[in-house]
Every structure is written in structure tokens, then in C-alpha cells.
Amino acid sequence: MKWIHYGFLMAWIGVLSPAWALEVEVGQSYDDLNRGYADWRSTYLDGVRKTADGKTLYGSVRETERFSLSDRELLAGMYYPLDGRWTALAEANFSPSHKVLPQWSALMQIQRTFGQGWGVHLGMRHTKYQNDDAIRINRGNFTIERYWGNYRAAYTFFANKIEGGGSPVSHAFQAAYYYGERNSLGMTYAIGSEVLNLPPAAPAYYDVRSIVLTGRYWFAPRWALTHEVALHEQGDLYTRKGIRLGVRYLF
């Protein structure tokens, strides 16, 4: 079954359209949880391909283990330039097992660039969890960002709505530094409320606070290393410390 998933990913990003600049990344992540919760693990395969007419196709296959439960997930998306300033984004993911991960979700987003490096994003994601009863969640997002020189800064506001629940909000602050031809370092700080699916309980929102450090380093023309280090406080439930390492190849 795993190789069928890999074949789906490669068909999406490689065969469905004439394109160039195919990048594939394989990696693993590990998260240590305190207060007696089992550690998290995941293995993933990502692919990104830019077409000759400016579109970007991407997809991923992921196998995870959370709270001693194993899940698989497929994701596919596309950036579609509408003109010189407008870009549409469509993304969908599906988990055939969905023990912890959502059964499926879909994102639609529009992006607009302005002068002097400014830009805004506006989107909506609909997510369905399937435990004993189906739980549906809508999450809107608004981002304002600016690029200048080798730097990017952004702020994102998230508004959430869960069926039969409240409407919590969250905030994310991002900063990135781009150096060399394709290398980057980034940091994200997030605070607010986030949904957690912890079977057998139904998905619910918990106060969270997290900081994530990311990087990508091209050590050869076709090879790169990627990394992520994260600290995540899930309310009073647990603190999660994670690391992810990946290897990326440019075809």
C-alpha cells in the first residue's frame, strides 16, 4: 500500500503536466512528549515541480505514529498564477486510516502582491475528523507579509469554528533570512488555540504556544539538507520537543 501512495505522488507532480525543476525530499521526524504520552514519529516523501507556465505542483506522502496509533496521509496542491499580482492556491489531503489525523481537509486561498515587497493572503480550510462521530472544523486565515532584501516577515491571524464548539483564534509570527542562491533560515512563533485529536476523545481546542526553527542548505548543486527544531506547549496536557531532518534532490 505504501508504494501505491508513492506512485500517486510521483504521478501528480511528475507526469500530469509538462514541467521543469522537480525537487524530491525524503525525511523523518521525532517528537518527545512528557507526562507519560508516547513519542511521535513520522516518515515522509515530498515533491515539488514548477511548470513552464509558472504553476507549482506539490504533493506528499506521510506515515505517522502518534499516541501509539499509526496513520497514513496523502496531500496534493497547486499554486496557480492568475496574473502578475494574483495567485490562487488549492490544496487537499486525505488519510485512509485517520485514527489521529483528519479524515480529509481542503484549503482554498488567494494571494495578492503589492509594491515594495508587500503581500496578503486570504484563505479558508475545511477539515473533517472521523472518530465515533464526524467533527467538522472551518479555519479562516489572513496573512500580511513583506519581503525586503534577503528577508521576509509575516503575521497570520487564524479564526476557527468547530461544530458545537466555540470560535477560538490564534496568531503566527514568521521571520526568514535567504542567503546564497537557495538557502534559508526561518523562525515561527505561534500562540492561541489549536485543535487536537486525542482518541478516544473527540477533537477539541487547547491553548498552545510554539516556536519552530527551520532551515534549508544546498551543499551541492542538486543536493540539500533541511531541518526543523520545534518546542510546542499543548496547554496543560504536555510539552512536545521535536526534530525533523530531510534530504532534498533536484532533478
Side-chain angles (χ1 to χ4, degrees), residues 22 87 113 115-116 129 157 176-177 190 234:
L22 171 63
T87 301
T113 60
Q116 299 183 339
Y129 286 90
F157 173 80
Y177 170 61
Q234 189 77 41

Side-chain angles (χ1 to χ4, degrees), residues 231-250:
L231 176 63
H232 185 98
E233 296 179 354
Q234 189 77 41
D236 296 328
L237 288 179
Y238 58 77
T239 297
R240 175 164 55 89
K241 302 174 183 177
I243 185 170
R244 178 190 59 79
L245 297 174
V247 177
R248 178 169 289 240
Y249 182 76
L250 171 65

Side-chain angles (χ1 to χ4, degrees), residues 46-79:
D46 291 347
V48 179
R49 193 161 197 177
K50 296 181 179 180
T51 67
D53 56 359
K55 302 179 184 68
T56 299
L57 307 176
Y58 63 92
S60 69
V61 178
R62 182 167 58 134
E63 295 195 354
T64 69
E65 183 179 329
R66 297 182 179 181
F67 307 115
S68 300
L69 297 172
S70 298
D71 266 337
R72 298 183 304 276
E73 183 184 48
L74 301 172
L75 179 148
M78 174 187 289
Y79 285 92

Side-chain angles (χ1 to χ4, degrees), residues 32-48:
D32 174 73
L33 282 67
N34 64 359
R35 302 198 175 184
Y37 288 98
D39 298 336
W40 292 9
R41 296 175 176 83
S42 74
T43 302
Y44 67 89
L45 173 67
D46 291 347
V48 179

